[in-house]
Amino acid sequence: MQAAPVRATAIPSFTTALRAVESLLMSGGQRTARRNAWTSVLEDRRRAKDRIEAQRVLDQAPGAPSPSTLPLSTPSLTTRP
């Protein structure tokens, strides 16, 4: 009995297959716009994570005001007498 032949090429990953389908269905400009949009989403998520971490550090700092002592709204720059 012979052993099964070894496959010389790797099976493409799911991501690779999706990109291949994407390249067939979309023109280059649409593909670029979609990737730029996704990059933007990832950057927004990173900034939000950084903002949350910075707020956590500020809240734990000594002498930081507790959330209950902070004003609910900012005062208006124009006040009436």
Coordinates of all heavy atoms in Angstrom, one line a residue:
M1 N 0.8 -1.2 0.0 CA 0.0 0.0 0.0 C 0.9 1.2 0.0 O 1.9 1.3 0.7 CB -0.9 0.0 1.3 CG -2.3 0.3 0.9 SD -3.5 0.2 2.1 CE -2.9 0.5 3.7
Q2 N 0.5 2.2 -0.8 CA 1.3 3.5 -0.8 C 0.7 4.5 0.1 O -0.5 4.5 0.4 CB 1.2 4.0 -2.3 CG 2.1 3.3 -3.2 CD 2.1 4.0 -4.6 OE1 1.2 4.8 -4.9 NE2 3.1 3.7 -5.4
A3 N 1.5 5.4 0.6 CA 1.1 6.5 1.5 C 0.4 7.5 0.6 O 0.7 7.6 -0.6 CB 2.3 7.1 2.2
A4 N -0.5 8.3 1.2 CA -1.2 9.3 0.5 C -0.2 10.4 0.1 O 0.8 10.7 0.8 CB -2.2 10.0 1.4
P5 N -0.4 11.0 -1.1 CA 0.6 12.0 -1.6 C 0.5 13.2 -0.7 O -0.5 13.6 -0.2 CB 0.1 12.3 -3.0 CG -1.3 11.8 -3.1 CD -1.4 10.7 -2.1
V6 N 1.7 13.8 -0.5 CA 1.8 15.0 0.3 C 1.4 16.2 -0.6 O 1.9 16.3 -1.7 CB 3.2 15.2 0.9 CG1 3.3 16.5 1.7 CG2 3.6 14.0 1.7
R7 N 0.6 17.1 0.0 CA 0.2 18.3 -0.8 C 1.3 19.3 -0.8 O 1.8 19.7 0.3 CB -1.1 18.8 -0.1 CG -1.9 19.7 -1.0 CD -3.1 20.1 -0.3 NE -4.2 20.1 -1.3 CZ -5.4 20.3 -1.2 NH1 -5.9 20.5 0.0 NH2 -6.3 20.3 -2.2
A8 N 1.6 19.8 -1.9 CA 2.7 20.8 -2.0 C 2.3 22.2 -1.7 O 3.1 23.0 -1.3 CB 3.3 20.7 -3.4
T9 N 1.0 22.5 -1.9 CA 0.6 23.9 -1.7 C -0.3 23.9 -0.4 O -1.1 23.0 -0.2 CB -0.3 24.4 -2.9 OG1 -1.4 23.6 -3.1 CG2 0.6 24.5 -4.1
A10 N -0.2 25.0 0.3 CA -0.9 25.1 1.6 C -2.4 25.5 1.2 O -2.6 26.2 0.2 CB -0.3 26.2 2.4
I11 N -3.3 25.1 2.1 CA -4.7 25.5 1.9 C -4.8 27.0 2.3 O -4.3 27.3 3.4 CB -5.6 24.6 2.7 CG1 -5.5 23.2 2.3 CG2 -7.1 25.1 2.7 CD1 -6.3 22.2 3.2
P12 N -5.4 27.8 1.5 CA -5.5 29.3 1.9 C -6.3 29.5 3.1 O -7.3 28.7 3.3 CB -6.1 29.9 0.6 CG -6.7 28.8 -0.1 CD -6.0 27.6 0.2
S13 N -6.0 30.4 3.9 CA -6.7 30.8 5.1 C -8.1 31.4 4.7 O -8.2 31.8 3.5 CB -6.0 31.7 6.0 OG -5.9 33.0 5.4
F14 N -9.0 31.5 5.6 CA -10.3 32.1 5.4 C -10.1 33.5 4.9 O -10.7 34.0 4.0 CB -11.1 32.0 6.6 CG -12.5 32.5 6.4 CD1 -13.4 31.7 5.6 CD2 -13.0 33.6 7.0 CE1 -14.7 32.2 5.5 CE2 -14.2 34.1 6.8 CZ -15.1 33.4 6.1
T15 N -9.2 34.2 5.6 CA -8.9 35.6 5.3 C -8.4 35.8 3.9 O -8.8 36.7 3.1 CB -7.9 36.2 6.3 OG1 -8.4 36.1 7.6 CG2 -7.7 37.7 6.0
T16 N -7.5 34.9 3.5 CA -7.0 35.0 2.1 C -8.1 34.7 1.1 O -8.1 35.4 0.1 CB -5.8 33.9 2.0 OG1 -4.9 34.1 3.0 CG2 -5.2 34.0 0.6
A17 N -8.9 33.8 1.4 CA -10.0 33.5 0.5 C -11.0 34.7 0.4 O -11.4 35.0 -0.7 CB -10.8 32.2 1.0
L18 N -11.3 35.3 1.5 CA -12.2 36.5 1.5 C -11.5 37.6 0.7 O -12.2 38.3 -0.1 CB -12.5 37.0 2.9 CG -13.5 36.2 3.6 CD1 -13.7 36.8 5.1 CD2 -14.8 36.3 2.9
R19 N -10.2 37.8 0.8 CA -9.6 38.9 0.1 C -9.6 38.6 -1.4 O -9.7 39.5 -2.3 CB -8.2 39.1 0.6 CG -8.1 39.8 1.9 CD -6.8 40.3 2.2 NE -6.9 41.1 3.5 CZ -5.9 41.3 4.3 NH1 -4.7 40.9 4.0 NH2 -6.1 42.0 5.4
A20 N -9.5 37.3 -1.8 CA -9.5 36.9 -3.2 C -10.9 37.2 -3.8 O -11.0 37.8 -4.9 CB -9.2 35.5 -3.4
V21 N -11.9 36.9 -3.0 CA -13.3 37.2 -3.5 C -13.5 38.7 -3.6 O -14.1 39.2 -4.5 CB -14.3 36.5 -2.5 CG1 -15.7 37.0 -2.9 CG2 -14.2 35.0 -2.7
E22 N -13.0 39.4 -2.6 CA -13.1 40.8 -2.5 C -12.5 41.5 -3.8 O -13.0 42.4 -4.4 CB -12.5 41.4 -1.3 CG -12.5 42.9 -1.2 CD -11.6 43.4 0.0 OE1 -10.5 42.9 0.1 OE2 -12.1 44.2 0.8
S23 N -11.3 41.0 -4.2 CA -10.6 41.5 -5.3 C -11.4 41.3 -6.6 O -11.3 42.1 -7.5 CB -9.2 41.0 -5.4 OG -9.2 39.6 -5.7
L24 N -12.1 40.2 -6.7 CA -12.9 39.9 -7.9 C -14.1 40.7 -7.9 O -14.5 41.1 -9.0 CB -13.3 38.4 -7.9 CG -12.2 37.4 -8.1 CD1 -12.7 36.0 -7.9 CD2 -11.6 37.5 -9.5
L25 N -14.7 41.0 -6.8 CA -16.0 41.7 -6.8 C -15.9 43.3 -6.8 O -16.7 44.0 -7.3 CB -16.8 41.3 -5.6 CG -17.3 39.8 -5.6 CD1 -18.0 39.5 -4.3 CD2 -18.1 39.5 -6.8
M26 N -14.8 43.8 -6.2 CA -14.7 45.2 -6.0 C -13.5 45.8 -6.9 O -12.5 45.1 -7.2 CB -14.3 45.6 -4.6 CG -15.4 45.2 -3.6 SD -14.8 45.6 -2.0 CE -16.3 46.4 -1.3
S27 N -13.8 47.0 -7.3 CA -12.7 47.7 -8.1 C -11.6 48.1 -7.1 O -11.8 48.1 -5.9 CB -13.2 48.9 -8.8 OG -13.6 49.9 -7.9
G28 N -10.5 48.5 -7.6 CA -9.4 48.9 -6.7 C -9.7 50.0 -5.8 O -9.3 50.0 -4.6
G29 N -10.4 51.0 -6.3 CA -10.8 52.2 -5.5 C -11.7 51.8 -4.3 O -11.5 52.3 -3.2
Q30 N -12.7 51.0 -4.6 CA -13.6 50.6 -3.5 C -12.8 49.7 -2.5 O -13.1 49.9 -1.3 CB -14.7 49.7 -4.1 CG -15.7 50.5 -4.9 CD -16.7 49.6 -5.5 OE1 -16.4 48.5 -5.9 NE2 -18.0 50.1 -5.6
R31 N -11.9 48.9 -2.9 CA -11.2 48.1 -2.0 C -10.3 49.0 -1.1 O -10.2 48.8 0.1 CB -10.3 47.1 -2.8 CG -9.7 46.0 -2.0 CD -9.1 44.9 -2.8 NE -8.3 45.3 -3.9 CZ -8.6 45.2 -5.2 NH1 -9.8 44.6 -5.5 NH2 -7.9 45.6 -6.2
T32 N -9.7 49.9 -1.7 CA -8.8 50.9 -0.9 C -9.7 51.6 0.1 O -9.3 51.8 1.3 CB -8.1 51.8 -1.9 OG1 -7.3 51.1 -2.7 CG2 -7.2 52.8 -1.1
A33 N -10.8 52.1 -0.3 CA -11.7 52.9 0.6 C -12.2 52.0 1.7 O -12.2 52.5 2.9 CB -12.9 53.4 -0.2
R34 N -12.5 50.8 1.4 CA -12.9 49.8 2.5 C -11.8 49.6 3.5 O -12.0 49.6 4.7 CB -13.4 48.5 1.9 CG -14.0 47.6 2.8 CD -14.7 46.4 2.1 NE -15.2 45.5 3.0 CZ -14.7 44.3 3.2 NH1 -13.7 43.9 2.4 NH2 -15.2 43.4 4.0
R35 N -10.6 49.4 3.0 CA -9.5 49.1 3.9 C -9.2 50.4 4.7 O -8.8 50.3 5.9 CB -8.3 48.7 3.1 CG -8.5 47.2 2.7 CD -7.2 46.6 2.2 NE -7.5 45.2 1.7 CZ -7.0 44.7 0.6 NH1 -6.2 45.4 -0.1 NH2 -7.3 43.5 0.3
N36 N -9.3 51.5 4.1 CA -9.0 52.8 4.8 C -10.1 53.0 5.9 O -9.7 53.4 7.0 CB -9.0 54.0 3.9 CG -7.8 54.1 3.0 OD1 -6.8 53.4 3.3 ND2 -7.9 54.9 2.0
A37 N -11.3 52.6 5.6 CA -12.4 52.8 6.6 C -12.1 51.8 7.8 O -12.3 52.2 8.9 CB -13.7 52.5 6.0
W38 N -11.7 50.6 7.5 CA -11.4 49.6 8.6 C -10.2 50.1 9.4 O -10.3 50.0 10.6 CB -11.2 48.3 8.0 CG -10.9 47.2 9.0 CD1 -9.8 46.5 9.3 CD2 -11.8 46.8 10.1 NE1 -9.9 45.7 10.3 CE2 -11.2 45.9 10.9 CE3 -13.1 47.2 10.4 CZ2 -11.8 45.2 11.9 CZ3 -13.7 46.6 11.5 CH2 -13.1 45.6 12.2
T39 N -9.2 50.7 8.8 CA -8.1 51.2 9.5 C -8.5 52.3 10.4 O -8.0 52.4 11.6 CB -7.0 51.7 8.5 OG1 -6.6 50.6 7.7 CG2 -5.8 52.3 9.2
S40 N -9.4 53.1 9.9 CA -10.0 54.2 10.7 C -10.7 53.7 12.0 O -10.6 54.2 13.1 CB -10.9 55.0 9.9 OG -10.8 56.4 10.2
V41 N -11.5 52.6 11.8 CA -12.2 52.0 12.9 C -11.3 51.5 13.9 O -11.4 51.7 15.1 CB -13.1 50.9 12.4 CG1 -13.6 50.0 13.5 CG2 -14.3 51.4 11.6
L42 N -10.2 50.8 13.5 CA -9.2 50.3 14.4 C -8.5 51.4 15.2 O -8.3 51.3 16.4 CB -8.2 49.4 13.7 CG -8.8 48.2 13.1 CD1 -7.6 47.4 12.3 CD2 -9.4 47.2 14.1
E43 N -8.2 52.5 14.5 CA -7.6 53.7 15.2 C -8.5 54.3 16.2 O -8.1 54.7 17.3 CB -7.1 54.7 14.1 CG -6.4 55.9 14.6 CD -5.0 55.5 15.3 OE1 -4.5 54.4 15.0 OE2 -4.5 56.3 16.1
D44 N -9.8 54.4 15.9 CA -10.8 55.0 16.8 C -10.9 54.1 18.0 O -11.0 54.6 19.2 CB -12.2 55.1 16.2 CG -12.2 56.2 15.2 OD1 -11.3 57.1 15.1 OD2 -13.2 56.2 14.4
R45 N -10.8 52.8 17.9 CA -10.9 51.9 19.0 C -9.7 52.0 19.9 O -9.7 52.0 21.1 CB -11.0 50.4 18.5 CG -12.4 50.1 17.9 CD -12.4 48.7 17.5 NE -13.7 48.3 16.9 CZ -14.0 47.2 16.3 NH1 -13.0 46.3 16.2 NH2 -15.2 47.0 15.7
R46 N -8.5 52.2 19.2 CA -7.3 52.4 20.0 C -7.3 53.6 20.8 O -6.9 53.7 22.0 CB -6.0 52.4 19.1 CG -4.7 52.4 19.8 CD -3.5 52.8 18.9 NE -3.7 54.1 18.4 CZ -3.4 55.2 19.0 NH1 -3.1 55.2 20.3 NH2 -3.6 56.4 18.4
R47 N -7.8 54.7 20.2 CA -7.9 56.0 20.9 C -8.9 55.9 22.1 O -8.6 56.5 23.1 CB -8.3 57.1 19.9 CG -7.1 57.7 19.2 CD -7.5 59.0 18.5 NE -8.6 58.9 17.6 CZ -8.5 58.8 16.3 NH1 -7.3 58.8 15.8 NH2 -9.5 58.7 15.5
A48 N -10.0 55.2 21.9 CA -11.0 55.1 22.9 C -10.4 54.3 24.1 O -10.6 54.6 25.3 CB -12.2 54.4 22.4
K49 N -9.6 53.2 23.8 CA -9.0 52.4 24.8 C -8.0 53.3 25.6 O -7.9 53.2 26.8 CB -8.3 51.2 24.2 CG -7.6 50.3 25.1 CD -6.9 49.2 24.3 CE -6.1 48.3 25.3 NZ -5.3 47.3 24.5
D50 N -7.2 54.1 24.9 CA -6.2 55.0 25.5 C -6.9 56.0 26.4 O -6.5 56.3 27.5 CB -5.4 55.7 24.5 CG -4.4 54.8 23.8 OD1 -4.2 53.6 24.2 OD2 -3.8 55.2 22.7
R51 N -8.1 56.5 25.9 CA -8.8 57.5 26.7 C -9.4 56.9 28.0 O -9.3 57.5 29.0 CB -10.0 58.1 25.8 CG -10.6 59.3 26.4 CD -11.6 59.9 25.4 NE -12.4 59.0 24.7 CZ -12.4 58.7 23.3 NH1 -11.4 59.3 22.6 NH2 -13.2 57.9 22.8
I52 N -9.9 55.7 27.9 CA -10.4 55.0 29.1 C -9.3 54.7 30.1 O -9.4 55.0 31.3 CB -11.1 53.7 28.7 CG1 -12.4 54.0 27.9 CG2 -11.3 52.8 29.9 CD1 -13.0 52.8 27.3
E53 N -8.1 54.3 29.6 CA -7.0 54.1 30.5 C -6.5 55.4 31.1 O -6.2 55.4 32.3 CB -5.8 53.4 29.7 CG -4.6 53.1 30.5 CD -4.9 52.1 31.6 OE1 -5.8 51.3 31.5 OE2 -4.2 52.2 32.7
A54 N -6.4 56.5 30.4 CA -6.0 57.8 31.0 C -7.0 58.2 32.0 O -6.6 58.7 33.1 CB -5.9 58.8 29.9
Q55 N -8.3 58.0 31.8 CA -9.3 58.4 32.8 C -9.2 57.5 34.0 O -9.3 58.0 35.2 CB -10.7 58.2 32.2 CG -11.8 58.7 33.1 CD -11.7 60.2 33.4 OE1 -11.6 61.0 32.5 NE2 -11.8 60.6 34.7
R56 N -8.9 56.2 33.9 CA -8.7 55.3 35.0 C -7.5 55.8 35.9 O -7.6 55.9 37.1 CB -8.4 53.9 34.5 CG -8.4 52.9 35.6 CD -8.2 51.5 35.1 NE -9.4 51.1 34.3 CZ -9.3 50.6 33.0 NH1 -8.1 50.4 32.5 NH2 -10.4 50.4 32.3
V57 N -6.4 56.2 35.2 CA -5.2 56.7 35.9 C -5.6 58.0 36.7 O -5.2 58.2 37.8 CB -4.0 56.9 35.0 CG1 -2.9 57.7 35.6 CG2 -3.6 55.6 34.4
L58 N -6.3 58.9 36.0 CA -6.6 60.2 36.7 C -7.6 59.9 37.8 O -7.5 60.6 38.9 CB -7.3 61.1 35.6 CG -6.4 61.7 34.6 CD1 -7.2 62.5 33.6 CD2 -5.4 62.6 35.2
D59 N -8.5 59.0 37.7 CA -9.4 58.7 38.8 C -8.7 58.1 40.0 O -9.1 58.3 41.2 CB -10.5 57.8 38.4 CG -11.5 58.4 37.4 OD1 -11.5 59.7 37.3 OD2 -12.2 57.7 36.7
Q60 N -7.6 57.4 39.8 CA -6.9 56.8 40.9 C -5.8 57.7 41.5 O -5.2 57.4 42.5 CB -6.2 55.5 40.4 CG -7.2 54.4 40.1 CD -6.6 53.2 39.5 OE1 -5.4 53.2 39.2 NE2 -7.4 52.1 39.3
A61 N -5.6 58.8 40.9 CA -4.5 59.8 41.4 C -5.0 60.4 42.7 O -6.2 60.7 42.9 CB -4.3 60.9 40.3
P62 N -4.0 60.6 43.6 CA -4.4 61.2 44.9 C -4.9 62.6 44.6 O -4.4 63.4 43.8 CB -3.1 61.2 45.7 CG -2.1 60.6 44.8 CD -2.7 60.3 43.5
G63 N -5.9 63.0 45.3 CA -6.5 64.4 45.2 C -7.4 64.5 44.0 O -7.9 65.6 43.7
A64 N -7.7 63.5 43.3 CA -8.6 63.6 42.2 C -10.1 63.7 42.7 O -10.4 63.1 43.7 CB -8.5 62.3 41.3
P65 N -10.8 64.6 42.1 CA -12.2 64.8 42.5 C -13.0 63.5 42.3 O -12.8 62.8 41.3 CB -12.7 66.0 41.7 CG -11.9 66.0 40.5 CD -10.5 65.4 40.9
S66 N -13.9 63.2 43.2 CA -14.8 62.0 42.9 C -15.8 62.4 41.9 O -16.2 63.6 41.8 CB -15.4 61.6 44.2 OG -16.4 62.6 44.7
P67 N -16.3 61.5 41.2 CA -17.3 61.8 40.1 C -18.6 62.5 40.7 O -19.2 63.2 40.0 CB -17.7 60.4 39.5 CG -16.5 59.5 39.9 CD -16.0 60.1 41.1
S68 N -18.9 62.3 41.9 CA -20.1 62.9 42.5 C -19.9 64.4 42.7 O -20.9 65.2 42.8 CB -20.5 62.2 43.8 OG -19.5 62.4 44.7
T69 N -18.6 64.9 42.8 CA -18.4 66.3 43.0 C -18.2 67.1 41.7 O -18.1 68.3 41.8 CB -17.1 66.5 43.9 OG1 -16.0 66.0 43.2 CG2 -17.3 65.8 45.3
L70 N -18.2 66.4 40.6 CA -18.0 67.1 39.3 C -19.3 67.7 38.9 O -20.4 67.1 39.1 CB -17.5 66.1 38.3 CG -16.1 65.5 38.5 CD1 -15.8 64.4 37.5 CD2 -15.0 66.5 38.6
P71 N -19.2 68.8 38.2 CA -20.5 69.5 37.7 C -21.1 68.6 36.6 O -20.4 68.0 35.8 CB -20.0 70.8 37.2 CG -18.5 70.6 36.9 CD -18.0 69.6 37.9
L72 N -22.4 68.6 36.6 CA -23.1 67.9 35.5 C -23.1 68.6 34.2 O -23.1 67.9 33.2 CB -24.6 67.7 36.0 CG -24.8 66.8 37.2 CD1 -26.3 66.7 37.6 CD2 -24.2 65.4 37.0
S73 N -22.9 69.9 34.2 CA -22.8 70.6 32.9 C -21.8 71.7 33.1 O -21.6 72.2 34.2 CB -24.2 71.2 32.5 OG -24.6 72.1 33.4
T74 N -21.3 72.2 32.0 CA -20.3 73.3 32.1 C -21.0 74.6 32.1 O -22.1 74.7 31.4 CB -19.3 73.2 30.9 OG1 -20.1 73.3 29.7 CG2 -18.5 72.0 30.9
P75 N -20.5 75.5 32.9 CA -21.2 76.8 32.9 C -21.1 77.6 31.6 O -20.1 77.4 30.9 CB -20.5 77.5 34.1 CG -19.2 76.8 34.3 CD -19.4 75.4 33.8
S76 N -22.0 78.3 31.3 CA -22.0 79.1 30.1 C -21.0 80.2 30.2 O -20.8 80.8 31.3 CB -23.4 79.7 29.8 OG -23.4 80.5 28.7
L77 N -20.4 80.6 29.1 CA -19.4 81.7 29.1 C -20.2 83.1 29.2 O -19.6 84.0 29.6 CB -18.6 81.6 27.8 CG -17.7 80.4 27.7 CD1 -16.9 80.5 26.4 CD2 -16.7 80.4 28.8
T78 N -21.4 83.1 28.7 CA -22.1 84.4 28.8 C -23.1 84.2 29.9 O -24.0 83.3 29.9 CB -22.8 84.7 27.5 OG1 -23.7 83.6 27.2 CG2 -21.8 84.9 26.4
T79 N -23.1 85.1 30.9 CA -24.0 85.1 32.0 C -24.9 86.3 32.0 O -24.4 87.4 31.6 CB -23.3 85.0 33.3 OG1 -22.4 86.1 33.5 CG2 -22.5 83.7 33.5
R80 N -26.1 86.2 32.4 CA -26.9 87.4 32.4 C -27.0 87.9 33.8 O -27.1 87.2 34.8 CB -28.3 87.0 31.9 CG -28.3 86.7 30.5 CD -29.7 86.5 30.0 NE -29.7 86.1 28.6 CZ -30.7 85.7 27.9 NH1 -31.8 85.4 28.5 NH2 -30.6 85.4 26.6
P81 N -27.0 89.2 34.0 CA -27.1 89.8 35.4 C -28.5 89.7 36.0 O -29.4 89.4 35.5 CB -26.8 91.3 35.2 CG -26.8 91.6 33.7 CD -26.8 90.3 33.0

